[in-house]
Amino acid sequence: MNARADEQQKRKLLPAICSGDVVTALAVTEPSGGSDAAHVKLAAHRDGDGYILEGEKSGVSFASWADTALVLARTGTYEQGARGVTAFYVDLHSPGVGRSRLRDLGTRAIGRGQIFFDGVKLPADARIGAEGAGFVQVMQGFDFSRSLIGLMCIAVAQQSVDETCNYVAERDVFGGKLARFEGISFPLAEAAVKLRAARLLCYEALSLKDRGEPHGWVAAGAKWWAPELAAQVLHQCLLLHGHVGYTMDLPHQQRMRDVIGLEIGDGTAQIMKLLVAREIIGNVARGY
Ligand SMILES: Cc1cc2nc3c(=O)[nH]c(=O)nc-3n(C[C@H](O)[C@H](O)[C@H](O)COP(=O)(O)OP(=O)(O)OC[C@H]3O[C@@H](n4cnc5c(N)ncnc54)[C@H](O)[C@@H]3O)c2cc1C
């Protein structure tokens, strides 16, 4: 929103978002599908100077308690595809907004849910950017957030690797420390090296972005690989703790549940690989 809102909107909206006084959700996914994100059905009809929203978003982080949301809505025809999609900044305390919460496996502090828009009236200045520009704006934001999601996943996996290294160096089995068996130390060595490589891939995407160079497919690669790797590493750390690793008392299970969510949110592995393939092969590898 920072890049696309006009100066007046930035002055009005950003301070409260940045201070945390206002929690904002990003509402893209709909019940009919999230991977095909351009297939937006939620409609924004013109109403005088403003708009009226009709439709539903699903699977949205913060949905049950956010104050506001950046909502992608269709202002054009379906034939226009992504070019008929516009972004709106919506007060979720407005009349006509309803919400429900999903019972998720992880990331419960944030939570996800549906948001229903039943004739929600928006003023003209709720529109962020030009009509029809919303999809591209949000996708460009994803090129940034995907590297950050990768780093979040790597951070929790690294924490579990550190804790597991300490554990296997302390635990006694068969008359010595657990860590002396290569079946124990090699998975940790592999995890340390792979996490480091995945972290560098995220940094590369961010560095390319900083330099204003194309970075979409590198960020997509980071978003595919880092969460998948983190989930595998966390699973391994859980197992290396034996039966106590399987209890809710140790944090590996929670980290694993959280990271699985990030394998899906912001685009699944398949969609990320489609983006990479399209870049390295060309549009013939589009897939959708
Ligand atoms: C933790 C979490 C947080 C989320 N936060 C938000 C949020 O804040 N805002 C928001 O709008 N949404 C959010 N989502 C929703 C998320 O973006 C979607 O779930 C995701 O894009 C996938 O869409 P879908 O669930 O509809 O699955 P679908 O699109 O129905 O896909 C189902 C399966 O098919 C695969 N698939 C789909 N198309 C293809 C293809 N062309 N080729 C190969 N495989 C394909 C997918 O990879 C997936 O495995 C979140 C989801 C999670 C889990």
Side-chain angles (χ1 to χ4, degrees):
M1 188 162 79
N2 188 19
R4 306 301 167 171
D6 64 34
E7 288 308 316
Q8 205 176 345
Q9 288 171 318
K10 286 183 195 176
R11 272 197 303 277
K12 182 176 162 195
L13 306 176
L14 286 179
I17 296 174
C18 294
S19 68
D21 290 328
V22 165
V23 173
T24 298
L26 173 64
V28 178
T29 305
E30 299 192 355
S32 55
S35 301
D36 190 2
H39 217 92
V40 171
K41 287 187 179 158
L42 187 144
H45 304 293
R46 275 277 186 185
D47 177 45
D49 284 348
Y51 297 84
I52 293 184
L53 289 187
E54 285 288 349
E56 179 182 345
K57 293 290 180 185
S58 180
V60 174
S61 298
F62 300 105
S64 60
W65 57 285
D67 301 297
T68 59
L70 189 73
V71 178
L72 286 191
R74 184 158 297 283
T75 46
T77 62
Y78 286 109
E79 290 69 37
Q80 284 179 290
R83 288 189 306 280
V85 175
T86 303
F88 295 94
Y89 186 71
V90 182
D91 181 349
L92 294 180
H93 305 295
S94 305
V97 174
R99 328 183 195 198
S100 68
R101 187 169 167 136
L102 295 166
R103 293 178 62 237
D104 270 356
L105 200 62
T107 329
R108 292 180 187 152
I110 293 173
R112 289 184 316 129
Q114 287 117 315
I115 311 179
F116 308 95
F117 301 88
D118 182 9
V120 176
K121 284 183 177 247
L122 301 181
D125 68 358
R127 198 184 76 217
I128 304 293
E131 268 200 16
F135 183 76
V136 174
Q137 289 170 195
V138 169
M139 291 304 126
Q140 286 169 346
F142 280 150
D143 285 345
F144 178 51
S145 64
R146 282 174 181 153
S147 307
L148 302 184
I149 287 177
L151 290 170
M152 284 163 60
C153 294
I154 290 163
V156 290
Q158 185 64 54
Q159 182 65 28
S160 278
V161 168
D162 294 346
E163 289 166 10
T164 307
C165 286
N166 291 336
Y167 179 75
V168 300
E170 292 296 321
R171 181 150 176 93
D172 291 310
V173 288
F174 296 103
K177 298 300 178 196
L178 195 51
R180 74 189 194 285
F181 298 108
E182 288 174 354
I184 299 292
S185 62
F186 278 15
L188 290 167
E190 289 167 15
V193 173
K194 287 180 184 171
L195 288 174
R196 202 173 177 101
R199 182 183 289 118
L200 287 178
L201 188 66
C202 298
Y203 287 165
E204 187 193 358
L206 292 172
S207 163
L208 288 168
K209 180 184 187 308
D210 270 355
R211 298 202 301 270
E213 294 178 30
H215 57 283
W217 80 268
V218 183
K223 169 63 183 63
W224 147 54
W225 190 37
E228 184 178 290
L229 173 65
Q232 290 164 356
V233 167
L234 288 161
H235 185 197
Q236 188 64 55
C237 290
L238 184 153
L239 296 178
L240 289 179
H241 279 80
H243 82 91
V244 289
Y246 189 61
T247 66
M248 300 300 271
D249 297 333
L250 291 194
H252 314 295
Q253 45 76 28
Q254 186 202 337
R255 293 173 187 155
M256 205 166 98
R257 287 186 284 108
D258 291 350
V259 159
I260 289 171
L262 294 176
E263 287 191 271
I264 303 168
D266 253 37
T268 63
Q270 287 97 326
I271 299 307
M272 295 305 102
K273 289 177 196 176
L274 282 175
L275 295 175
V276 174
R278 198 200 302 167
E279 184 63 34
I280 63 173
I281 301 172
N283 257 342
V284 67
R286 208 173 159 77
Y288 61 94

